[in-house]
Amino acid sequence: MIPISPARSLYILQCEGTTVRVREFPILGDEDEPTVEAFATGLDHEAARVLAYLVGREESGRFSDEAASRLAVRVGVDLGRGRVSDVLGTLTDLGLVVETTVDSEAPGRPPKGWRADAGHDRTLSRVRALHADALLDQAATVASTLDDDFAGSITRDGDATTPPPAERDAGHLEVGLNWDPNGLHAPLFAGAYADHGVDVTLTGCRGSRAALSAVADGDVDVGLTGAATYLRGHTTREGVVPLALYYQRAMVTLYTTRSAFGGPLRSVEDVRGRRVAMPAGSETGALGRLFLAQAGVIDDVTVVRADGEEREALLDGDADVATGVFTDPLELEAAGHDVDSVLLADHFPVPGPAFVVRQETLRERPDALRGFLEGAMAGWTTARADPDTAIDAVADRSDEDIADERRKLEGALDRFAGGDAVEKNGWGWHSPETWERLRVALEQAAALGNP
């Protein structure tokens, strides 16, 4: 946290009774963005800005002895009066800031003021704890919508701040990833799980289906799986429910080379009459079919079943277009090919990979899951602020080039991490509507069969 500096201030003429004086108002700057992003893992983005501003005032030498007025907050974060009032009310209700009064020479009741005097680290810890609890509650809401037989409330030991993270002991969690560890998983490997009372082991699985099966069979406690894979296996793997989204947007893409396609691929419409290499039964295959169906071209293409060899089918001339993830065209470009791609997430709101758990784990081990979510949020913050540190955390588990893994991580954070749900609710957010929209779309695309 960089305390707010007097060098970043606005000076405003303010009337107080019969006196007019110049007031100095500190403002947030670019150097405060890491703190804003850290708070935004568990808050809507505007609330994160207000909280970062108030914490920064407390940690500055110039303004730490006075509460911030509503006007000071408005100026400091550049928000309107109504929105600032709403955000301050929310932060006060959450116990993240304290409402007090501001010294004033004007007659009458002193104006309201706000302080965030718990300090940066304690405030961030509380933000994460509160958001982890909100994610657990939301997971229960989603579970009750997806599974009619989900019953039972989530019972935690204490509230979001008791006991403190360092004093918790929630045991061990096995987490199954959707592939071998790589740059996309770097935020998880940078996670601070022990600091939040849980011991976590991260293990690679051979795809989303394998991770989902590992959860259903009890081999792991938490699985990372594609959203389509989860829904396609939902009827046969009962008792598994979504916990949170890891990335908000699906990473599936259609791609080709200029030489294979005979020209540029500008849109999904351009694939009409072409051969499309697509794996059967995988997340990529299901979402590739969804993409073509939603675009209205599924009946005008020839599907080439490549089953994991889509790139080879493209390069060998057996297909004109391939389905894959966003890293596939990047790797082809690095190999010297002239590549075009069309990203699913740029056209349709399909969620990215999700953490899933068994119903009994959600009901019976919420404190362990809370610690996992808090630790993952810490890793997410690290990855955003310092990608090199996050990549170093996964480097000894990956055989790929470190520079390539960093590019993969940065591309994923830039293109798939954000969205309206994150902007309004924080990292990991999902809703019953998220899953129902995808289920209906997969059903309409005839892509909801068992994986």
Side-chain angles (χ1 to χ4, degrees):
M1 174 70 186
I2 301 174
I4 289 176
S5 165
R8 289 182 286 107
S9 297
L10 288 178
Y11 295 87
I12 297 176
L13 290 175
Q14 187 174 24
C15 296
E16 293 187 355
T18 59
T19 304
V20 178
R21 62 172 178 156
V22 177
R23 290 287 306 277
E24 179 184 358
F25 293 94
I27 59 175
L28 285 180
D30 291 342
E31 57 267 49
D32 298 303
E33 280 305 306
T35 300
V36 173
E37 289 298 325
F39 289 150
T41 57
L43 294 169
D44 82 67
H45 201 267
E46 290 176 346
R49 285 181 58 79
V50 171
L51 186 58
Y53 171 79
L54 292 173
V55 169
R57 282 180 64 107
E58 296 290 342
E59 298 196 349
S60 71
R62 187 74 172 271
F63 302 96
S64 58
D65 61 345
E66 60 183 80
S69 66
R70 184 182 284 106
L71 176 60
V73 177
R74 287 175 57 195
V75 173
V77 301
D78 193 24
L79 282 179
R81 179 184 176 87
R83 182 56 181 150
V84 164
S85 295
D86 291 343
V87 168
L88 288 170
T90 297
L91 294 176
T92 301
D93 290 343
L94 292 173
L96 295 170
V97 303
V98 176
E99 183 180 307
T100 180
T101 58
V102 177
D103 292 337
S104 174
E105 298 176 3
R109 181 182 301 176
K112 292 180 180 179
W114 289 266
R115 303 191 66 163
D117 57 3
H120 174 273
D121 292 347
R122 287 176 59 195
T123 300
L124 180 56
S125 179
R126 181 167 177 81
V127 167
R128 288 173 179 160
L130 288 167
H131 188 55
D133 276 358
L135 287 172
L136 290 174
D137 290 338
Q138 187 70 355
T141 298
V142 171
S144 64
T145 303
L146 295 175
D147 284 308
D148 293 336
D149 61 343
F150 180 80
S153 60
I154 297 176
T155 302
R156 307 178 183 87
D157 293 334
D159 63 19
T161 57
T162 58
E167 298 177 13
R168 299 181 202 157
D169 183 8
H172 179 76
L173 284 179
E174 284 278 347
V175 178
L177 306 176
N178 56 348
W179 200 248
D180 295 332
N182 60 71
L184 299 179
H185 303 126
L188 297 178
F189 282 87
Y193 309 106
D195 293 342
H196 296 88
V198 63
D199 177 43
V200 170
T201 299
L202 301 166
T203 304
C205 298
R206 301 301 293 179
S208 286
R209 281 187 297 170
L212 180 61
S213 294
V215 173
D217 296 341
D219 297 328
V220 299
D221 302 296
V222 180
L224 181 61
T225 186
T229 298
Y230 167 73
L231 285 176
R232 298 174 75 215
H234 181 59
T235 56
T236 57
R237 295 183 176 91
E238 296 180 355
V240 178
V241 296
L243 176 65
L245 291 183
Y246 182 40
Y247 288 95
Q248 282 287 315
R249 288 155 41 96
M251 302 180 185
V252 168
T253 188
L254 298 174
Y255 67 97
T256 187
T257 65
R258 292 285 176 94
S259 58
F261 201 70
L265 171 65
R266 297 187 179 90
S267 75
V268 66
E269 287 284 335
D270 292 342
V271 305
R272 290 185 187 275
R274 301 298 190 120
R275 300 167 298 164
V276 181
M278 188 180 300
S282 72
E283 179 79 3
T284 301
L287 291 184
R289 182 176 182 84
L290 171 64
F291 195 0
L292 297 174
Q294 290 283 307
V297 301
I298 186 66
D299 295 329
D300 300 319
V301 303
T302 299
V303 174
V304 177
R305 294 299 183 192
D307 294 333
E309 304 296 330
E310 292 78 33
R311 188 185 307 183
E312 288 75 9
L314 179 69
L315 296 178
D316 291 343
D318 297 324
D320 306 305
V321 180
T323 55
V325 295
F326 84 105
T327 55
D328 290 319
L330 298 180
E331 291 169 1
L332 278 180
E333 284 181 347
H337 295 277
D338 195 359
V339 181
D340 293 309
S341 62
V342 183
L343 193 65
L344 168 64
D346 287 343
H347 295 76
F348 306 107
V350 176
F355 298 111
V356 298
V357 297
R358 294 183 300 280
Q359 287 186 13
E360 57 265 32
T361 305
L362 181 60
R363 282 196 302 263
E364 299 169 9
R365 300 194 65 195
D367 295 312
L369 294 177
R370 181 174 71 178
F372 167 69
L373 292 169
E374 290 174 276
M377 280 184 263
W380 195 260
T381 298
T382 297
R384 281 218 178 261
D386 187 2
D388 285 336
T389 295
I391 289 297
D392 286 345
V394 75
D396 63 348
R397 297 285 299 275
S398 173
D399 296 329
E400 302 298 326
D401 180 75
I402 294 299
D404 291 341
E405 294 303 286
R406 173 171 175 153
R407 283 191 292 270
K408 186 184 297 183
L409 170 63
E410 291 179 330
L413 291 175
D414 180 56
R415 303 176 73 180
F416 307 107
D420 289 343
V422 169
E423 187 80 10
K424 296 175 182 176
N425 301 286
W427 172 84
W429 200 255
H430 59 140
S431 68
E433 293 75 22
T434 302
W435 296 98
E436 180 60 14
R437 281 195 303 267
L438 180 57
R439 186 196 66 77
V440 170
L442 288 170
E443 188 174 55
Q444 292 175 344
L448 198 58
N450 293 336

